[in-house]
């Protein structure tokens, strides 16, 4: 008999698969809050969940008509802020807001314009060191970055942003003592899983390339 546990494949996959047509493919990706600079010198803050890292480069997928995309086409500085799982309510406060005015036609039934998104989400900006947009003080990890390449995706409905990370700020409580490493036992990203918010579960194992082995292993 097949058994299924949350987050795991069936113990016996011989029954095969079914073909489905999901409306979205957010199969479990981290949430980030992007702070960018508006034309008038104020700052925008936007949640997004299409981000991944390769070395010191973060690749972002953005809606082409949003304020963040508009900003990054002409002002390349940004901060990639990583909230913790418990901060999902602040992220959700930002979700129906846009910094774009007038609101794009396709967003008007769902989104509303908000010029001060930090205040709307109950978050505090703090100055960055190398870029103009501020960091989100409450986020445990903050990446000051500069967008090096901004280009349309293959469907021409999104922008793909390749951002070079210039400086990493971390809450000292999640950093391994006397090291430059985040302790994976103390840090969990906020995960967006098919439009639901999750944190990570217990550790299952570690890669042979891990530089942060657990005590006693």
């Amino acid at each position: 008999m097949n058994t299924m546990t949350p987050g795991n494949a069936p113990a016996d996959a011989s029954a095969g698969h079914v073909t489905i047509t999901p409306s979205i493919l957010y199969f479990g990706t981290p949430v980030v809050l992007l702070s960018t600079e508006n034309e008038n010198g104020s700052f925008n803050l936007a949640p997004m969940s299409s981000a991944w890292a390769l070395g010191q480069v973060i690749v972002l997928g953005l809606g082409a008509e949003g304020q963040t995309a508009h900003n990054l086409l002409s002002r390349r500085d940004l901060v990639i802020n990583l909230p913790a799982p418990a901060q999902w309510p602040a992220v959700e406060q930002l979700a129906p807001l846009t910094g774009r005015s007038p609101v794009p036609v396709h967003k008007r039934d769902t989104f509303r314009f908000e010029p001060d998104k930090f205040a709307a989400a109950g978050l505090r900006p703090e100055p960055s060191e190398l870029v103009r947009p501020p960091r989100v003080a409450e986020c445990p990890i903050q990446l000051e970055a500069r967008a090096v390449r901004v280009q349309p995706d293959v469907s021409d409905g999104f922008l793909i942003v390749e951002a070079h990370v210039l400086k990493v700020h971390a809450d000292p409580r999640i950093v391994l003592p006397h090291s430059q490493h985040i302790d994976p036992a103390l840090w969990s990203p906020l995960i967006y899983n098919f439009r639901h918010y999750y944190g990570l579960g217990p550790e299952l194992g570690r890669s042979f390339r891990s530089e942060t082995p657990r005590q006693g292993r």
Side-chain angles (χ1 to χ4, degrees):
M1 183 177 70
N2 287 0
T3 60
M4 178 75 79
T5 57
N8 294 294
D12 176 8
S14 61
H17 297 72
V18 296
T19 300
I20 63 173
T21 309
S23 60
I24 44 92
L25 295 175
Y26 291 114
F27 45 75
T29 48
V31 174
V32 302
L33 298 177
L34 300 181
S35 46
T36 57
E37 184 178 5
N38 298 317
E39 289 177 346
N40 63 5
S42 63
F43 299 104
N44 188 55
L45 184 65
M48 55 87 67
S49 57
S50 297
W52 59 279
L54 185 63
Q56 298 300 306
V57 174
I58 307 291
V59 181
L60 308 168
L62 305 172
E65 295 189 19
Q67 185 65 23
T68 299
H70 179 76
N71 287 345
L72 289 177
L73 285 168
S74 54
R75 291 167 296 282
R76 298 300 180 98
D77 286 359
L78 72 156
V79 182
I80 304 163
N81 303 276
L82 281 68
Q87 294 172 308
W88 77 265
V91 173
E92 187 61 16
Q93 284 287 103
L94 290 168
L97 308 180
T98 178
R100 196 74 186 270
S101 180
V103 178
V105 173
H106 74 281
K107 287 188 170 185
R108 289 178 185 172
D109 291 338
T110 309
F111 295 83
R112 63 179 177 84
F113 172 65
E114 172 54 62
D116 189 350
K117 297 224 200 136
F118 278 90
L123 298 171
R124 180 170 58 87
E126 64 178 355
S128 296
E129 296 181 15
L130 300 178
V131 299
R132 285 183 52 80
R135 297 174 282 152
V136 177
E138 293 83 359
C139 285
I141 299 176
Q142 310 150 339
L143 312 176
E144 295 187 40
R146 184 158 294 125
V148 177
R149 185 179 300 159
V150 182
Q151 59 189 356
D153 80 315
V154 294
S155 72
D156 206 29
F158 300 91
L159 288 185
I160 303 299
V161 177
E162 297 176 50
H164 180 234
V165 175
L166 305 174
K167 181 163 282 195
V168 178
H169 305 271
D171 185 324
R173 292 171 295 183
I174 64 171
V175 177
L176 279 168
H178 315 296
S179 83
Q180 300 295 312
H181 301 300
I182 301 294
D183 187 338
L186 299 177
W187 161 248
S188 171
L190 174 61
I191 298 295
Y192 196 57
N193 181 13
F194 288 100
R195 291 181 174 157
H196 293 252
Y197 297 105
Y198 291 87
L200 296 183
E203 179 184 333
L204 301 176
R206 63 184 179 94
S207 164
F208 77 97
R209 301 184 65 182
S210 171
E211 297 180 51
T212 54
R214 305 266 38 86
Q215 186 174 2
R217 295 187 186 179

